[in-house]
Structures are given as structure tokens and as C-alpha cells.
Amino acid sequence: MKVSDLVEKFNLIVFSGNNGLENEISGGYVSDLLSDVMGNAGEGEVWITLQTHQNVMAVASLKDLAAVILVKGFEPETETLNKSNEEGIPILGTRWGTFETVGKLYNFLQED
Amino acid sequence: MELVFEIEGGDFTSAGNASSKIKKVLKQLNIDSKTIKRIVIAVYEAEVNIVAHAKKGILKASIGSHFIEVKLTDKGPGIEDVEKAMEAGFSTASKQVREMGFGAGMGLPNIKKNVDELDIISEMGKGTLVKFKNYF
């Protein structure tokens, strides 16, 4: 499954990193603690969080994540957008809270 | 090969620069990806520790044919009890740093878990030396 499949299925906002929409997804990780993601997320995973600052992209890039999804209508800061475009790791957005987002994504990824 | 980076305390915009560069270099050297992943976690956490706690610091990475050694020296408050700081969940980070999703007391445990050798020497009021080594 690709990032673009998630965008289409759940009507996610694409804030940035359009050049990474074809990234393959290996799974997902949920956390708002950066060290937790650093220590435990896996390559190609989609990271669901409410953090919006640019260190999110530093972590996403170091971990080779497929995309970042911001929940609850949060929007990325400008530097975060720039870094996402540079790295080709999309930042996506949804109005849903973390619980709903993860529930839907989990079921969809299981079907794949 | 030696790589040197200066790290400014409080400058979260550049946190990750050293780890990103080191990751690129190790990839070019064809080091296996599992090893790179471990090193990158440790270097990033060590960088963030300086940004979050110290005034400034220097990171030196020496890459040999079968190892990488990373030394971080900072001017900062020092660590009062290194053993305590190594415990998961223990942190002295500010509220602001915690709100960014750092300072959860996972940094040093993450480093320990991902390196082959680790030394921490700290002097209160002066600074801290963190040195670790991974073998390929």
C-alpha cells in the first residue's frame, strides 16, 4: 500500500511532501514522544501524532518513515513543511482524533 | 574519517543535523542498515540532550573500518546522578522541552540500548562527556 492510497481512502489533507506520495507503507506508529518514535518506529511506517514542529521531520527522515499524519486538525509549522518537501516525506492531516484515525487506518492496513 | 559538529544549546532547529550527516556517510560506506539504524538513534538522542540541557557542545565522530566512535563534550549543568539519569522515565527537562515531545526520560536509555560501549563522565556545573562506540 502507498501513502496515496491512504490519502484517497480517508480523504486526508496533503500539506506537503507530494513527491513522497508513492512511498510504500509497512505499518503505523502512534506517539507524541519523539524519543519513543526514535527508539521504536520502523522503516516505512506512517507516524500519527499531534506534534507539529520541525523536529518531527528530523525524526521521520532519520527513521525513513513513509509519512506523518497530524490529527485533530493540527497544521504543520512552516519549517516542518519545508523539511517535508526536501525529504519527500508527506505530512498529511485529518480532523479526526488519534483514536478514530488509528482505528480506521489499522483496519485498512490489515486488509491489504 | 573524522566528522565534527558544533551544537548550540536551545537550538532545536539544528537537532538532527549531525545524525543525518552521519547516516548519509555510513550509507555511502555500505555499512549494514541495522547497524546504521542503531547508531542514528544514539547520535540523535545525544544531540538532543545537548540542545535540551547544555549551553553548547561538540560532537566528534571517528569512523574506522570496523567501528564508529562518537564523542560529545558539552558545557552545561552536568548530570548529578548518572545512574539515575539512565533510568527510563527520569528527566530534568523543562516544561517547554517536554511539550515538544522531548524530555520523557527515554534519551539515555535509547542510547544505551543501541550502542556497544558507552561511557558518561559528568562534572556538576561544568559539563558532560558522552562517548559511545559501535562495531560493524
Side-chain angles (χ1 to χ4, degrees):
Chain A
M1 186 170 308
K2 290 177 177 170
V3 174
S4 56
D5 297 324
L6 283 190
V7 171
E8 209 171 298
K9 171 79 182 171
F10 298 111
N11 212 2
L12 302 172
I13 303 162
V14 180
F15 289 114
S16 55
N18 290 58
N19 48 341
L21 287 174
E22 298 306 297
N23 290 350
E24 281 290 335
I25 298 170
S26 64
Y29 200 77
V30 187
S31 186
D32 301 319
L33 298 176
L34 275 72
S35 287
D36 180 30
V37 179
M38 214 42 225
N40 301 301
E43 189 173 339
E45 289 183 346
V46 175
W47 175 15
I48 294 110
T49 185
L50 48 68
Q51 296 288 356
T52 58
H53 54 83
Q54 65 174 313
N55 297 92
V56 166
M57 287 317 300
V59 170
S61 158
L62 287 168
K63 298 297 285 182
D64 298 311
L65 301 182
V68 176
I69 301 180
L70 303 182
V71 296
K72 290 203 294 191
F74 280 102
E75 292 181 12
E77 292 168 15
T78 312
E79 298 82 13
T80 319
L81 287 176
N82 295 340
K83 206 133 190 256
S84 152
N85 287 327
E86 273 169 40
E87 302 286 344
I89 302 174
I91 302 179
L92 313 172
T94 173
R95 294 254 139 226
W96 298 324
T98 308
F99 185 71
E100 291 85 353
T101 307
V102 173
K104 291 177 197 204
L105 254 67
Y106 181 82
N107 283 326
F108 187 53
L109 288 174
Q110 290 301 104
E111 286 167 20
D112 190 36
Chain B
M1 186 194 302
E2 187 162 272
L3 300 164
V4 181
F5 302 89
E6 283 180 22
I7 302 168
E8 273 301 308
D11 179 16
F12 277 95
T13 61
S14 61
N17 285 359
S19 32
S20 172
K21 175 74 187 170
I22 289 170
K23 181 183 169 190
K24 275 181 198 145
V25 170
L26 294 175
K27 269 193 173 172
Q28 279 163 4
L29 292 170
N30 280 323
I31 308 300
D32 86 288
S33 67
K34 258 193 187 164
T35 310
I36 297 180
K37 284 189 168 86
R38 297 182 72 216
I39 294 164
V40 164
I41 293 170
V43 177
Y44 182 73
E45 293 291 1
E47 266 184 274
V48 167
N49 279 347
I50 292 182
V51 173
H53 296 283
K55 286 195 200 93
K56 60 177 176 178
I58 290 182
L59 184 160
K60 282 186 191 169
S62 313
I63 303 169
S65 53
H66 294 288
F67 71 90
I68 173 169
E69 186 180 61
V70 181
K71 258 190 226 181
L72 299 103
T73 334
D74 73 46
K75 288 197 193 330
I79 302 170
E80 195 174 353
D81 183 342
V82 173
E83 214 172 298
K84 185 119 189 135
M86 295 302 298
E87 284 174 17
F90 179 83
S91 177
T92 58
S94 67
K95 187 168 175 275
Q96 195 191 355
V97 167
R98 286 171 196 257
E99 277 170 3
M100 291 176 77
F102 294 113
M106 301 176 80
L108 285 174
N110 260 356
I111 294 175
K112 195 180 175 191
K113 214 181 295 171
N114 288 288
V115 299
D116 296 328
E117 290 170 15
L118 172 65
D119 280 311
I120 300 175
I121 299 163
S122 193
E123 199 177 333
M124 286 306 285
K126 291 206 166 161
T128 302
L129 163 74
V130 174
K131 189 170 82 170
F132 51 83
K133 199 166 180 178
N134 276 27
Y135 296 92
F136 321 136

